[in-house]
């Protein structure tokens, strides 16, 4: 009996340079409203793959291919990461905080951070009472981490010592944790949400350039700021570019972990492919086109739904100007908004391929009319 032919696996997309860029970009702090350092890393990488680039007043970075073309297609991710603000410095030199975006207070105790002050980053830790002291009084309820009882200790023992380090009210605080690799193709990092999107759209631009693909439209590779506090960067740049089509990438929940309801969040698993979304802001015909591309190229999809908004930059692009046909292609992620966000290498590569192949399918003549 003849042996069945083994299916040829596609060549890996992520190169050594891709990995070096990804590691550097993920490890560079890019907090909401202070994304400039991360945007510098991203722009430096993408410049060779685009014809021109620009940055808007609040720091959204855009690489452009065919800038004079009247028909415009956007591929987009957001660059910002959740963080904290120094809100109060007490006389003993401890720092109390406010959220900058949807940072999770429950993961904070004992974490290491950088305080980005006037003299550069200062190392600090979230202090927390020892278990001995918390349990020593059986009549007292054990304290739970809350924003108003969390504090940073940077080694200063007075307000004056804090200020001498360059720390001030309004200084932004990010976690120290960086990129790492686990077994079986898993990566961990803080702020994969959504700097992995920035990596993926940059890799799409690289593939187009290296494969010498000529697009019949202008391509705008957009790395937007301030998504985590209300999709603000996307709102501004959508009005400026006025695209005809937008492909947005972000992260979504891997629902195979404990304490997540598949009945509510859907059935999505890391390593099993990109996760496009059905929802009012998602353009049905553009979504069907993405599904057709995935079927033709053998890319597995994990479909999910949203009821009102997508909660991503898709909403800002879809409802901008006179309306822009927009689609959301998410990548499954475990432990969102923690310092150990986890995703799978295969999903990164398949999401890049899906965006790349979709761009090669689109043209100004693509019929996206509902009626």
């Amino acid at each position: 009996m003849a042996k069945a032919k083994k299916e040829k696996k596609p060549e890996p997309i992520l190169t050594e340079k891709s990995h070096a860029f990804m590691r550097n970009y993920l490890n560079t702090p890019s907090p909401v409203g202070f994304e400039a350092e991360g945007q510098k890393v991203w722009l430096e990488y993408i410049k060779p793959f685009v014809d021109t680039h620009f940055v808007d007043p609040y720091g959204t970075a855009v690489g452009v291919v065919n800038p004079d073309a009247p028909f415009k297609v956007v591929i987009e991710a957001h660059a910002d990461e959740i963080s904290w603000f120094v809100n109060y410095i007490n006389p003993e030199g401890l720092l109390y905080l406010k959220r900058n975006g949807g940072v999770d207070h429950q993961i904070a105790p004992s974490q290491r951070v950088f305080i980005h002050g006037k003299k550069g980053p200062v190392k600090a830790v979230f202090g927390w009472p020892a278990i001995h002291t918390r349990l020593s009084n059986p009549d007292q309820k054990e304290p739970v981490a809350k924003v108003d009882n969390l504090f940073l200790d940077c080694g200063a023992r007075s307000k004056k010592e804090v200020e001498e380090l360059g720390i001030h009210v309004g200084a932004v605080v990010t976690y120290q944790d960086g990129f790492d690799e686990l077994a079986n193709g898993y990566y961990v990092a803080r702020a994969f949400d959504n700097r992995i999107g920035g990596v993926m759209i940059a890799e799409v631009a690289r593939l187009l350039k290296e494969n010498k693909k000529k697009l019949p439209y202008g391509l705008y590779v957009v790395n937007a700021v301030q998504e985590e506090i209300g999709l603000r960067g996307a709102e501004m740049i959508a009005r400026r570019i006025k695209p005809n089509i937008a492909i947005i990438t972000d992260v979504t929940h891997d629902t195979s972990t404990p304490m997540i309801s598949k009945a509510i969040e859907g059935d999505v698993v890391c390593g099993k492919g990109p996760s496009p979304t059905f929802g009012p802001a998602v353009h049905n015909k553009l979504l069907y086109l993405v599904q057709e591309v995935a079927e033709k190229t053998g890319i597995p999809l994990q479909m999910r739904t949203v009821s009102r908004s997508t909660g991503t930059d898709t909403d800002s692009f879809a409802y901008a100007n006179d309306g822009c046909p927009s689609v959301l292609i998410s990548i499954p992620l475990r432990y969102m908004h923690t310092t150990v966000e986890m995703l799978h290498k295969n999903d990164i590569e398949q999401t890049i391929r899906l965006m790349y192949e979709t761009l090669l399918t689109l043209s100004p003549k693509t019929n996206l009319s509902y009626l």
Side-chain angles (χ1 to χ4, degrees):
M1 192 174 180
K3 287 184 180 177
K5 285 185 180 177
K6 284 187 179 178
E7 239 181 81
K8 192 179 178 184
K9 286 186 178 179
E11 290 291 316
I13 289 172
L14 297 174
T15 65
E16 283 187 24
K17 282 187 178 178
S18 305
H19 277 99
F21 158 62
M22 177 166 64
R23 184 183 293 270
N24 185 20
Y25 182 46
L26 286 163
N27 288 345
T28 303
S30 187
V32 183
F34 301 83
E35 299 92 346
E37 292 308 308
Q39 294 293 59
K40 287 175 189 174
V41 172
W42 186 83
L43 262 181
E44 195 60 32
Y45 183 74
I46 200 174
K47 279 178 188 176
F49 314 135
V50 296
D51 297 326
T52 187
H53 66 276
F54 65 90
V55 180
D56 83 355
Y58 273 83
T60 290
V62 184
V64 189
V65 179
N66 301 335
D68 297 326
F71 196 88
K72 300 173 184 177
V73 176
V74 159
I75 55 174
E76 192 260 13
H78 72 83
D80 54 319
E81 67 177 291
I82 52 174
S83 53
W84 299 90
F85 278 124
V86 174
N87 185 54
Y88 167 63
I89 304 166
N90 78 4
E92 292 74 39
L94 299 177
L95 293 82
Y96 289 80
L97 308 167
K98 274 189 178 177
R99 287 188 176 98
N100 186 18
V103 66
D104 186 349
H105 58 278
Q106 289 194 41
I107 70 159
S110 82
Q111 293 277 7
R112 301 173 190 226
V113 300
F114 290 116
I115 305 168
H116 301 275
K118 292 175 181 176
K119 297 180 180 179
V122 178
K123 293 178 181 178
V125 298
F126 275 99
W128 195 243
I131 189 168
H132 317 67
T133 62
R134 301 202 311 268
L135 300 180
S136 60
N137 185 350
D139 299 324
Q140 190 174 8
K141 194 173 180 181
E142 187 175 359
V144 177
K146 297 183 289 186
V147 174
D148 60 7
N149 69 6
L150 288 170
F151 61 89
L152 291 181
D153 187 335
C154 66
R157 291 297 170 260
S158 68
K159 185 175 181 181
K160 183 171 184 281
E161 286 184 359
V162 170
E163 291 169 344
E164 284 171 353
L165 292 169
I167 298 169
H168 56 91
V169 169
V172 72
V173 177
T174 57
Y175 292 111
Q176 289 190 26
D177 301 65
F179 176 84
D180 210 346
E181 298 186 42
L182 302 184
N184 302 317
Y186 282 96
Y187 296 151
V188 290
R190 72 173 205 287
F192 267 137
D193 176 13
N194 177 35
R195 290 213 284 279
I196 193 58
V199 171
M200 294 190 297
I201 60 175
E203 290 300 288
V204 171
R206 177 179 67 82
L207 290 178
L208 291 168
K209 181 74 172 181
E210 290 181 356
N211 294 326
K212 299 179 180 176
K213 298 296 183 182
K214 300 296 181 187
L215 300 174
Y217 51 79
L219 177 66
Y220 291 72
V221 187
V222 177
N223 208 19
V225 298
Q226 298 194 28
E227 188 269 356
E228 294 288 357
I229 48 92
L231 323 179
R232 299 307 185 190
E235 188 180 319
M236 291 183 277
I237 203 67
R239 286 200 295 262
R240 178 167 177 164
I241 296 172
K242 297 181 172 59
N244 300 95
I245 292 172
I247 299 170
I248 313 302
T249 184
D250 209 320
V251 295
T252 190
H253 304 289
D254 176 330
T255 61
S256 66
T257 61
M259 295 183 283
I260 296 180
S261 168
K262 290 187 179 182
I264 295 171
E265 299 290 348
D267 191 1
V268 177
V269 182
C270 284
K272 293 191 175 181
S275 184
T277 304
F278 286 99
V282 175
H283 195 278
N284 294 332
K285 292 195 76 170
L286 186 54
L287 177 57
Y288 296 151
L289 185 145
V290 168
Q291 289 177 292
E292 286 172 7
V293 168
E295 190 173 347
K296 286 176 185 174
T297 52
I299 298 171
L301 299 180
Q302 305 181 83
M303 303 306 298
R304 65 188 189 93
T305 62
V306 294
S307 56
R308 291 176 66 85
S309 72
T310 68
T312 72
D313 284 342
T314 311
D315 302 328
S316 289
F317 278 91
Y319 302 131
N321 307 305
D322 297 328
C324 171
S326 301
V327 68
L328 172 61
I329 304 173
S330 296
I331 181 170
L333 182 80
R334 290 179 168 220
Y335 321 125
M336 192 183 297
H337 283 204
T338 73
T339 57
V340 290
E341 294 183 339
M342 182 186 298
L343 43 71
H344 200 280
K345 180 181 179 180
N346 289 350
D347 293 334
I348 300 172
E349 298 223 338
Q350 287 172 335
T351 306
I352 293 167
R353 280 183 61 219
L354 183 57
M355 285 192 284
Y356 174 78
E357 296 292 346
T358 300
L359 290 179
L360 297 182
T361 304
L362 288 171
S363 85
K365 295 179 180 178
T366 301
N367 181 10
L368 296 178
S369 174
Y370 274 178
L371 302 176

